[in-house]
Amino acid sequence: MELNGKNQKQILKDTIIRNKYLFIILILALFLRVYGLSTMGLGVDETLTIKQAQDFSQISYLAKTVEFSPPLYYLIVFTIFQATHDFFYVRLFSAIMGIILVLLIFILTREIFGENTATIAAFLAAINPSLIAYSHLMRNYEFFFVLIFLTIIFTKKYAKTGKNLANLAASNVIMLLTAYHGFFILAAECLFLKLSKVKNRIIIGLIAIAVIALLPLIPLLLKRTADWNAIYAKIYFLNLGQIAIDFFYMLYKLSIGGLTLKTAIAITPALFIVIPVALFLFFKGIWIEKGRDYVLHYFLLIPAGIALVFGLTGSLMFNHKYLAYLIPIFLIFVANGLAKIKNQKLQKILLAIIIVCWFVAILTFYSISKTDGWNAYLGL
């Protein structure tokens, strides 16, 4: 009995320590996402967000002519701006979504790989230069990332327990009303549920709810896809070659933390140092032990595969810009790769390389972000 009491005390102590680390990571994520928020230059495409925040009619007009996104995020932006009359709070919404994303990455990773890997994954997400940059951007990226991770969590839970179906259906609808690329995520979700022996009528019902919710926007989606593909075909006339370039460029961007930093020549050595480290850890982390949960593999590979098929037809759907949601999943596999290394000294060295190189990128981001058009310089 006494031994059992000691074990319970030790478990409680370990839980408190782990929560303390998570709390510190979330504070770090908060600081990195709020710092410089009020001094940001105007990013490319943010002018579209501003127009939609100031004038409700612009949401419908731009969705038909320029934007390639459903209107939900812009309705949120319009509401925030009308309530505050300050674009700082619009940026703050993205920053808050970025912090929530770090927490969701911890929760999902803990369920699949355990506490240690979850702590590493949350830390990597907190300091990832691309996720920090997206958290400063008045666009729908961070909100979309959060919805994707909620969808993955609800999918996993429903497949295991048969609970949270309403939450899963709601997250699907909100995700699709935020970004059309949510269809890629829905496809991965349905395949995972099918192979998890979920009843066909449930899967068909989830698809039907999502399609019905998006029904008013389907004519618009088809028109905008045709418009964009016409432009895309003129620019990327060698589709197969462009796909190969985009695929390797995507791996490159994921490895360096997501930023290309076109104007920062001095940062290049740091980026080339981190590439082999990040890719080594990613490929080590993606091979998981038998009996583990493969849910992340579905949400990584199925959407990328669908995008590849679209790309072979000359569609704009395969483009590194539209696969940004892979970054958080990539980080989880990198964290798993780190956690699998038994040599603690080597583990610390590899983590230190990532930290140093990414912080060089973060500092460069903060210096560039005061300039108008900053996200174009960063390849976002």
Side-chain angles (χ1 to χ4, degrees), residues 155-162 165 168 189-204 206:
T155 300
K156 184 178 182 302
K157 187 153 189 174
Y158 183 76
K160 185 177 181 181
T161 67
L165 182 60
L168 177 56
E189 171 195 317
C190 291
L191 182 59
F192 178 77
L193 291 175
K194 176 67 177 175
L195 296 178
S196 299
K197 297 183 169 47
V198 171
K199 293 178 180 178
N200 287 337
R201 62 184 177 82
I202 298 295
I203 298 172
I204 293 170
L206 287 169

Side-chain angles (χ1 to χ4, degrees), residues 349-368:
I349 289 172
L350 294 176
L351 181 59
I353 290 171
I354 293 174
I355 292 170
V356 171
C357 293
W358 282 7
F359 264 95
V360 171
I362 291 167
L363 292 174
T364 308
F365 157 69
Y366 286 135
S367 66
I368 291 176

Side-chain angles (χ1 to χ4, degrees), residues 255-313:
S255 303
I256 64 176
L259 305 184
T260 53
L261 298 166
K262 299 173 183 176
T263 60
I265 305 299
I267 204 174
T268 303
L271 298 183
F272 279 109
I273 290 169
V274 80
I275 287 171
V277 172
L279 287 180
F280 164 72
L281 292 172
F282 169 73
F283 287 113
K284 184 176 180 64
I286 202 170
W287 296 106
I288 62 177
E289 299 83 0
K290 189 176 180 180
R292 289 278 193 179
D293 198 326
Y294 284 87
V295 64
L296 284 175
H297 292 74
Y298 286 86
F299 284 90
L300 176 74
L301 300 175
I302 300 302
I306 294 171
L308 179 62
V309 171
F310 272 109
L312 287 170
T313 66

